Amino acid sequence: MKIKIFATFSLIISGLSLFCAQKLNFKDPNFEKAVLENFDLNRNGSLEKLEADVITNLFLVQRNITSADDAKLFTNAKMIVLDDNMIPDISITGLPYLELFSCTGCKASSFRAEGLKSLASLYLDNNLLENISLKETPRIDQLTLSLNQLKTIDITTLKNLRKLNIEHNKILKLDISGNPDLQTLNVGGNPMKESDIKKGVKTDVTIFGTEQ
């Protein structure tokens, strides 16, 4: 009898847990719609935290998304791709496992990343970027910022950077003296000579696109 009561009680608790599952609130309805199509596991028309927690890869390309703020709901994400949406200002924080982020062709004018301790690859090509802020992103080894409107960029804190592409911006000078692992640098389309690039002790960086 006690076993039956305990089993019944357990079922009630489980039912209440499902009923009270935490529904996530999205800022961008198009972001929510795109996610629900693939990750609404219980098909109840909403995304719950338990469902979001198992998501590691988000590919949301050309989905009319206008804000990247909802990315923070996926705390276990390792890869997020938001290419070809229209996101004017991008701010990515609070994703400790994120290794790759891409938002190419998104009409973005500003980008901020903070506290992304695992981020290794960042792709922001073909935007309208005028400023970019990277704080506490120590693992970045590949950074692609071609076809933007940048006039300056500070990469001194990116000690593990190996590949940097800043083609077709408006950058006049660049300091790579604090990037000992840098292997390739693309600067074509910037009003920059090789003498405008401050180098460190390591001088075997392959540089493409400097003016003669």
Side-chain angles (χ1 to χ4, degrees):
M1 186 65 179
K2 289 182 178 179
I3 294 175
K4 288 183 179 180
I5 293 173
F6 180 79
T8 302
F9 183 75
S10 298
L11 287 172
I12 292 172
I13 293 298
S14 298
L16 286 173
S17 296
L18 290 172
F19 181 78
C20 298
Q22 183 180 351
K23 177 185 175 181
L24 298 180
N25 294 315
F26 286 78
K27 178 177 180 178
D28 186 329
N30 288 326
F31 199 120
E32 181 178 23
K33 179 182 177 182
V35 170
L36 286 175
E37 288 179 4
N38 295 303
F39 301 108
D40 183 12
L41 302 179
N42 59 13
R43 301 299 176 188
N44 67 347
S46 63
L47 195 76
E48 293 152 4
K49 189 176 186 305
L50 290 175
E51 293 171 318
D53 285 347
V54 302
I55 297 172
T56 56
N57 297 328
L58 276 176
F59 293 90
L60 307 178
V61 177
Q62 289 186 321
R63 300 309 299 262
N64 296 315
I65 292 170
T66 58
S67 173
D69 291 355
D70 292 324
K72 67 177 179 292
L73 299 173
F74 303 90
T75 54
N76 292 317
K78 293 183 178 180
M79 183 181 299
I80 298 177
V81 179
L82 301 176
D83 297 350
D84 299 319
N85 288 287
M86 190 170 290
I87 309 175
D89 300 296
I90 305 171
S91 180
I92 305 295
T93 63
L95 296 171
Y97 307 110
L98 188 65
E99 298 174 1
L100 182 150
F101 181 82
S102 178
C103 196
T104 66
C106 288
K107 308 291 185 185
S109 60
S110 68
F111 177 86
R112 182 176 74 93
E114 186 171 347
L116 306 181
K117 300 297 179 65
S118 300
L119 186 65
S121 301
L122 179 58
Y123 303 96
L124 298 169
D125 314 71
N126 193 24
N127 280 292
L128 303 170
L129 289 177
E130 296 180 352
N131 60 78
I132 177 172
S133 174
L134 301 172
K135 296 181 180 180
E136 298 178 37
T137 56
R139 286 195 57 199
I140 290 181
D141 69 5
Q142 182 158 330
L143 178 59
T144 305
L145 301 167
S146 61
L147 296 166
N148 279 289
Q149 302 294 318
L150 295 168
K151 294 181 179 179
T152 62
I153 182 171
D154 182 3
I155 58 170
T156 55
T157 61
L158 306 181
K159 304 301 181 184
N160 294 307
L161 188 63
R162 294 185 305 110
K163 298 179 180 180
L164 175 63
N165 187 338
I166 54 171
E167 292 177 297
H168 301 290
N169 279 276
K170 301 177 180 180
I171 299 172
L172 296 173
K173 295 182 181 297
L174 183 67
D175 185 353
I176 61 171
S177 62
N179 308 101
D181 293 336
L182 193 63
Q183 298 173 359
T184 59
L185 170 63
N186 294 309
V187 299
N190 289 278
M192 185 189 304
K193 298 179 181 179
E194 190 161 342
S195 58
D196 296 320
I197 301 173
K198 182 180 179 181
K199 303 176 184 177
V201 176
K202 183 174 181 288
T203 58
D204 57 344
V205 180
T206 300
I207 300 176
F208 301 99
T210 52
E211 293 184 347
Q212 300 299 318

